[in-house]
Amino acid sequence: MTTEIVVENFIDGKYVPAASHIDSYDPSTGEVWAKIPDSGDSEVEAAVQAAKTAFKTWSTTTPAERCRIMNKIADVLESQLEEFARMESRDQGKPVSLAKAVDIPRAVYNFRFFASSILYKTNSSTMMDDRGCVNYTMQMPIGVACLISPWNLPLYLLTFKIAPCIAAGNTCVCKPSEMTSVTAWMLGKVLNEAGVPPGVVNIIFGTGPKAGSALVKHPDVPLISFTGSTATAEKIRQDSAPFCKKLSLELGGKNPCIVFDDAKLEDCVPTAVRSSFANQGEICLCSSRIFVQKGVYDTFLEKFIEGARKVKVGAPYEDTTNMGALVSKEHMQKVKGYVKIAVTEGGTVHCGEGVDEDPELPEKHKQGYFMKPTVVTGLGDKTRCMQEEIFGPVVCITPFDTEEEVIERANDVKYGLSASVWSSDVGRTHRVSQKLHAGTVWANCWFIRDLNMPFGGMKSSGLGREGAKNSMEFYTEEKVICIKTD
């Protein structure tokens, strides 16, 4: 098959051809569809130097000017929403409908949100009358930021880093996942059309061990924002430690969904199904452990399995498709492997992998990386499938008796990214939410995000928070100025 796209690095406002490439696969067909630069030290060095040079002028632009340019980015991106959605689907495997409804609109909103937020920042000040001094603070941009984004929500999460970074007056070198690089490559043209000065945003493509490592270790990059696996984050912390770099790490999760016997199942079940299988279960916030109080366990399980079987797995471009292909062959094999592990650990598979027939697919998609939503019961809390992040369309459901019991069990993992609680008792939702070890807890809902609120995880799910106030704090250094007035 002829390669359809050859991606180039975006350095200093220009596309730069690569000397060598790696293959990128269309998850829905299993065929190579793009060539991605296999960047290394030299490409990273060129990008960092471009960002350093651009920082000298970009850091001095007014918030109003940065706001204007960022709103222009949003406008241009929004005008190309359909094309970006199609490419995001082709590259990642998700349904086009999901990319059109969620991924690309959120990327647009990221720029608009942070463009407006920088116009309303406030400083603090104090008067020292007895010393004749005035103190005030300033939030200063820092320099070149390393922005490393994952493959599950490619443009959505990359722009969630770029927008606050450049809004604060920094410049950046981005390293998207080598498995989903195409929309980041397309973004370079958008940035140029919007009038972003050369070097403010640079995008390097390649693998983590080669391009990512060179960027993390670079002495002229004082900031690192990373979203991805906990294992990779550990390596980033080790490599960056000698340089005292600022780190923001948004990592994995093993998120509990807790259903009490007074929950409104007509709302709970469809939302729980969506929270388990949205984006093929490839969202760090997906529910992967569902604890159901015994009084409604049988009813919930029956309705949940029924809902899971209604999820249409199919070609990503079809309007009726709810769930597309997993991102890669290796990842699909890993996820399916967990289902086999669940069986060996004593679990029962009720639907999906190994139980139901494979999805019905058009001929050209029969080699794609598809699997059906899979529901497992009967596993102990210490089993691998209840402890480890699977990151796919596999959910484990288990009963519980009391509130105190389920809080302890829900917290008994190394992760602490998010959780959801379902109950008609308002007091209980507050009480349980406050005791769960999670950065975000949704009560009687899921995946409702206000960018004014901090986002991040506890324990092995991350370090730091992202959001209006928190991102600005990360991407700036606070300076105190003391002036004697007499």
Side-chain angles (χ1 to χ4, degrees):
M1 179 180 177
T2 303
T3 302
E4 297 181 33
I5 289 176
V6 178
V7 170
E8 296 175 317
N9 289 318
F10 184 71
I11 302 173
D12 203 21
K14 297 181 288 290
Y15 284 109
V16 182
S20 59
H21 297 83
I22 52 182
D23 292 336
S24 180
Y25 292 82
D26 177 341
S28 74
T29 64
E31 297 179 335
V32 174
W33 86 292
K35 295 288 187 180
I36 310 300
D38 186 16
S39 303
D41 290 343
S42 61
E43 292 87 353
V44 167
E45 181 64 29
V48 171
Q49 293 308 316
K52 279 185 65 180
T53 299
F55 177 74
K56 297 174 185 177
T57 52
W58 183 251
S59 61
T60 63
T61 58
T62 65
E65 176 64 5
R66 296 198 294 270
C67 172
R68 183 191 66 79
I69 292 174
M70 290 177 65
N71 276 318
K72 181 63 175 177
I73 298 172
D75 291 342
V76 176
L77 181 57
E78 190 171 45
S79 73
Q80 301 174 27
L81 189 150
E82 295 276 346
E83 179 65 13
F84 269 87
R86 284 194 297 271
M87 290 299 192
E88 196 76 294
S89 168
R90 188 80 183 276
D91 211 21
Q92 201 273 338
K94 69 181 71 211
V96 174
S97 60
L98 182 65
K100 287 171 62 175
V102 177
D103 291 67
I104 311 307
R106 170 60 190 273
V108 172
Y109 182 65
N110 285 337
F111 285 109
R112 289 197 174 131
F113 178 87
F114 286 103
S116 63
S117 68
I118 57 173
L119 298 178
Y120 306 106
K121 66 179 183 180
T122 58
N123 298 338
S124 59
S125 64
T126 63
M127 296 284 294
M128 301 175 68
D129 294 334
D130 59 326
R131 305 294 297 274
C133 291
V134 174
N135 295 284
Y136 66 93
T137 62
M138 293 186 68
Q139 291 176 303
M140 309 299 296
I142 300 171
V144 180
C146 159
L147 309 180
I148 302 178
S149 56
W151 50 256
N152 60 325
L153 301 167
L155 196 67
Y156 177 129
L157 291 177
L158 177 61
T159 56
F160 192 40
K161 298 180 185 299
I162 293 175
C165 174
I166 65 174
N170 301 288
T171 57
C172 59
V173 179
C174 309
K175 210 297 284 182
S177 168
E178 66 274 18
M179 290 191 287
T180 53
S181 297
V182 172
T183 52
W185 168 67
M186 294 169 61
L187 182 64
K189 297 177 183 177
V190 172
L191 298 173
N192 281 346
E193 186 175 342
V196 178
V200 171
V201 178
N202 305 273
I203 309 172
I204 295 295
F205 301 95
T207 65
K210 192 174 176 182
S213 180
L215 187 53
V216 165
K217 294 177 180 178
H218 200 291
D220 294 330
V221 178
L223 289 160
I224 301 172
S225 177
F226 168 79
T227 297
S229 72
T230 300
T232 301
E234 291 174 359
K235 184 69 166 59
I236 289 173
R237 294 182 75 169
Q238 293 170 2
D239 288 346
S240 64
F243 303 97
C244 295
K245 302 187 181 207
K246 288 184 76 173
L247 298 179
S248 172
L249 307 173
E250 196 274 284
L251 311 177
K254 193 65 181 172
N255 310 305
C257 170
I258 300 172
V259 182
F260 287 95
D261 55 15
D262 62 347
K264 295 180 180 179
L265 295 188
E266 65 271 22
D267 297 326
C268 171
V269 172
T271 304
V273 169
R274 184 169 62 89
S275 75
S276 301
F277 306 123
N279 204 53
Q280 304 78 245
E282 296 169 331
I283 302 177
C284 57
L285 300 166
C286 276
S287 303
S288 56
R289 298 176 296 148
I290 302 180
F291 298 88
V292 185
Q293 202 159 25
K294 286 184 177 178
V296 293
Y297 177 79
D298 291 338
T299 302
F300 177 92
L301 182 61
E302 179 183 354
K303 291 181 179 294
F304 188 93
I305 294 170
E306 179 184 346
R309 282 199 163 119
K310 288 180 180 178
V311 174
K312 170 71 184 305
V313 179
Y317 52 79
E318 293 179 350
D319 292 338
T320 57
T321 294
N322 306 121
M323 203 174 92
L326 276 71
V327 74
S328 70
K329 183 177 182 179
E330 294 76 14
H331 185 62
M332 178 187 70
Q333 291 171 338
K334 186 195 89 168
V335 174
K336 289 186 174 183
Y338 271 106
V339 179
K340 294 178 181 178
I341 291 170
V343 173
T344 64
E345 291 180 325
T348 299
V349 181
H350 293 268
C351 65
E353 179 66 19
V355 174
D356 297 328
E357 294 182 358
D358 291 337
E360 294 185 11
L361 297 164
E363 186 62 34
K364 72 174 183 177
H365 295 290
K366 290 190 182 298
Q367 300 304 312
Y369 314 134
F370 297 89
M371 70 177 287
K372 286 188 172 181
T374 301
V375 178
V376 181
T377 63
L379 292 174
D381 291 349
K382 294 297 185 181
T383 57
R384 288 185 62 187
C385 290
M386 288 286 282
Q387 288 288 317
E388 298 175 12
E389 185 179 39
I390 299 173
F391 215 65
V394 178
V395 65
C396 303
I397 303 179
T398 186
F400 73 91
D401 284 307
T402 67
E403 181 179 312
E404 293 74 16
E405 169 207 340
V406 76
I407 292 170
E408 183 176 351
R409 293 173 63 191
N411 288 336
D412 191 24
V413 292
K414 71 176 184 178
Y415 298 103
L417 186 57
S418 72
S420 53
V421 178
W422 290 86
S423 174
S424 296
D425 184 334
V426 176
R428 172 187 277 161
T429 60
H430 283 284
R431 191 168 58 245
V432 173
S433 297
Q434 291 168 13
K435 293 180 180 179
L436 290 172
H437 300 165
T440 299
V441 181
W442 286 287
N444 299 322
C445 61
W446 178 73
F447 208 43
I448 296 175
R449 290 273 291 114
D450 179 354
L451 298 193
N452 286 294
M453 292 290 101
F455 175 74
M458 300 179 178
K459 301 189 287 189
S460 292
S461 286
L463 177 68
R465 294 291 185 270
E466 295 175 295
K469 177 175 178 289
N470 302 83
S471 291
M472 285 299 105
E473 289 176 349
F474 175 72
Y475 287 109
T476 59
E477 291 284 15
E478 193 165 33
K479 173 188 292 186
V480 176
I481 298 176
C482 179
I483 297 179
K484 191 169 179 61
T485 58
D486 59 10

